Amino acid sequence: MEEVDSFISKPRFWFFISLVIIFVVLLILQFAKYMIMKEPIVITPKVSTERGTIYDRNKKILAVQTTIYNLYADKTLMKNPAEAAKVLAPVLMQNESDLLEKIQDSKSNFLYLKKRMSESERDLVKNVIDENKLSGIRFESVFNRTYPENTLASTVVGFLGDDGRGKTGVEYSLQSILSPPPETKGYTGKGYDVYLSIDGNIQYMLEKIISKTMEETKAQSAVFLAVDAKTGEVLAYVNSPSASLANFIESTPEQRFDRPANYVYEPGSVFKIFSMAAFLELGTTKDGQVYDCNALFEFNRSNVKPITCLKTHGRVSPRDVIRLSCNDATAQIADITEKNAFYEKIKLFGFGSKTNIELPGETAGLLAPPQNWSIRTKHTIAIGQEIGVSALQLVEAATAFTNKGSTLRLSLISKVADKEGNIVYLHKPSVLNKVISEKNADLLLSYMRTGSIEGIAWRASINGVPIAVKTGTAQMANEKGGGYSKTDFISSCIGIFPADDPKIILYTAVIKPVGQIYGSIVAAPAISEASNEIIDYLGLARENAPTVEHTGRIPISENKPVVLKDKMPDLTGVPKKLLLELLLQKDFSVKITGDGYVVSQTPPPGTPLKKGMKIELNLE
């Protein structure tokens, strides 16, 4: 007892009590710190914005929001996982043991069993769940994107990823317009509808023509652009090959590459129209002045490679330079032009700068400053070498010839509207730079028109409508460096019509054709064919053509989109393109299965329609 008392002495007792007090105080302080300083966990509910629809300028649907379904399991509510795996595996087209293992091995009580199910798949699985009274199995509805026209203008439309954000095209560049974030001022939960400047009918025409051209020439790739000469609106944007939006995930980098905006190349002789315009404006040549072409322009230095023509042209004027595409005379004029002034005029046309069109990743091209030019650079730029351009830059520069000497900004957007149809943006022509005089703009169109009548570009001529044309054939640089390829060329052609009152600018570039390589043979016929089709489509008058009374526009089809009213119409035989408007209405649940024409429908014709009714259309 004394030993115990001696062990529990007063000093030891108070020491023990002090440790306990310190521990308790520290515990209280730590708890207080935790309670006071720890930020509360805030769970923000997921907000889904109804994404805007993308149309062409005539309200053809190019991208529209639909709903897909994800099937998930909540393990805390599941009574019999083995039974669930047994009955669900067949309809989910999964292995029963794999599905059960997936459920049992999940570290989370929440897991997806299958994603991206269609409405018909959802209905089938739901029936199985209901019949077997499975617990803990639910559906999650998710907004998805459908592209009814698939490849039509797919480079412009772009693609929407699983995360609900655009990956390419205007789906990417107009993400905040198509799907405004919740923190946006005035947020309504709905995105804006975007009407592209693209005319789906003209787009289809040009895609068909370029497909035929590539097949005939075995070309590697091609671009074809159509632009409204007075507004700068892009009516067709052909990029071949291009991705299928229905199978975008499986597309190749080559199919996803945006050539009109991002491909940089030497334009060749097409560039002479801009060089000649600059020379006329700078006063280093004038209309009617004569030059002697012996097919060889030599520099004062023997070690500098001369500039050659395909043949001797003799005495030529600026008009003949464009008509015959004379390199020698172009180099002679460039030789007496001050290089800084020439450079500034080229820059004013827009070369060396982005057009700022509504697409991601556009190139600025390649244009070296004059201090980096060699003795030959000024002359070679004048004939379309030692300068890198994009197809968009070239077409935007050409608007100077159709707008009294001033360039116009290119645009792919016609208008933007809210879900009630109120227009919040409407395209208006935007003047960029006054580059040349109206007189010189008209003069260049006159030169180009001569080229289509009696020059090397005669294959681009069209019946009854004057067209201004310039072709180009450019050697491509060796991919491994060092000089130009002897086999790889870019064949191009630009056409502007009607030449006396421009309405349309067309430009095509065919990359690496096999066999024939000259722009006058490869590209000019495509310009002629496209021009003829567009003239008929727009109802433009032709000289010496019989007079026919019409509305001024030739429609592609008299069929109109289907509209649902009081009773279900008979839709048998109706094509899919006339049914797509049904996907946008809110009163009925419409499911379209297949492609082609309607072969069966639910409900049958004549059935009274009620709000919320489900309509199914099967196409073949």
Side-chain angles (χ1 to χ4, degrees), residues 45 65 68 137 140 179 249 275 278-279 454 457 517 571:
Q65 183 164 283
I68 57 173
I137 309 294
E140 172 188 66
S179 183
I249 303 300
S275 301
F279 297 151
E454 54 187 55
I517 53 132
L571 300 178

Side-chain angles (χ1 to χ4, degrees), residues 299-301 303-304 335 373-380:
F299 294 87
N300 294 329
R301 301 181 187 179
N303 63 338
V304 179
D335 194 55
W373 290 6
S374 69
I375 190 174
R376 196 176 188 271
T377 300
K378 180 175 59 173
H379 307 72
T380 53

Side-chain angles (χ1 to χ4, degrees), residues 73-82 84-85 103 111 113 135-137:
D74 184 344
K75 291 171 63 174
T76 63
L77 301 176
M78 292 184 73
K79 294 178 180 179
N80 192 338
I103 296 171
L111 71 150
L113 303 181
S135 58
I137 309 294

Side-chain angles (χ1 to χ4, degrees), residues 296-462:
L296 186 70
F297 177 85
E298 296 183 284
F299 294 87
N300 294 329
R301 301 181 187 179
S302 59
N303 63 338
V304 179
K305 185 179 178 180
I307 290 175
T308 61
C309 280
L310 287 175
K311 65 178 183 179
T312 300
H313 294 121
R315 292 175 65 78
V316 295
S317 66
R319 182 181 297 274
D320 297 321
V321 169
I322 301 302
R323 178 175 67 89
L324 303 171
S325 200
C326 179
N327 288 344
D328 185 352
T330 303
Q332 291 180 48
I333 304 172
D335 194 55
I336 61 171
T337 303
E338 202 276 318
K339 69 178 184 179
N340 288 294
F342 182 47
Y343 170 80
E344 291 300 328
K345 191 61 69 174
I346 293 172
K347 288 283 289 182
L348 208 57
F349 267 113
F351 296 107
S353 303
K354 297 180 180 181
T355 67
N356 291 316
I357 202 165
E358 301 90 348
L359 287 173
E362 184 190 3
T363 181
L366 298 171
L367 177 59
Q371 59 267 30
N372 295 336
W373 290 6
S374 69
I375 190 174
R376 196 176 188 271
T377 300
K378 180 175 59 173
H379 307 72
T380 53
I381 286 178
I383 62 173
Q385 296 177 350
E386 285 196 58
I387 181 173
V389 308
S390 71
L392 288 175
Q393 285 178 327
L394 198 143
V395 174
E396 185 172 270
T399 60
F401 304 133
T402 64
N403 288 277
K404 302 179 179 181
S406 296
T407 51
L408 295 178
R409 185 181 302 282
L410 296 187
S411 177
L412 283 163
I413 310 302
S414 175
K415 63 181 179 181
V416 176
D418 62 21
K419 287 298 181 179
E420 283 67 48
N422 301 307
I423 297 174
V424 298
Y425 167 81
L426 184 65
H427 172 80
K428 294 181 180 179
S430 176
V431 176
L432 294 172
N433 300 313
K434 180 67 174 178
V435 188
I436 55 177
S437 68
E438 181 179 351
K439 176 184 176 182
N440 284 332
D442 291 341
L443 197 55
L444 255 296
L445 286 176
S446 174
Y447 290 174
M448 293 168 69
R449 182 178 178 183
T450 302
S452 71
I453 297 172
E454 54 187 55
I456 62 173
W458 62 270
R459 290 180 180 84
S461 61
I462 47 183

Side-chain angles (χ1 to χ4, degrees), residues 69-136:
Y69 302 90
N70 297 330
L71 181 69
Y72 69 90
D74 184 344
K75 291 171 63 174
T76 63
L77 301 176
M78 292 184 73
K79 294 178 180 179
N80 192 338
E83 175 67 16
K86 180 180 179 180
V87 298
L88 286 175
V91 292
L92 297 180
M93 291 185 288
Q94 297 180 21
N95 181 276
E96 180 183 338
S97 60
D98 290 344
L99 182 58
L100 179 59
E101 184 178 347
K102 180 179 181 180
I103 296 171
Q104 292 176 333
D105 292 351
S106 173
K107 295 180 180 179
S108 171
N109 286 325
F110 176 92
L111 71 150
Y112 286 107
L113 303 181
K114 188 173 182 179
K115 289 186 173 184
R116 302 184 67 82
M117 300 171 65
S118 66
E119 188 172 349
S120 58
E121 290 176 306
R122 190 276 311 266
D123 292 346
L124 181 62
V125 175
K126 186 177 185 302
N127 288 337
V128 171
I129 294 172
D130 293 342
E131 288 173 4
N132 292 274
K133 299 180 179 179
L134 299 179
S135 58

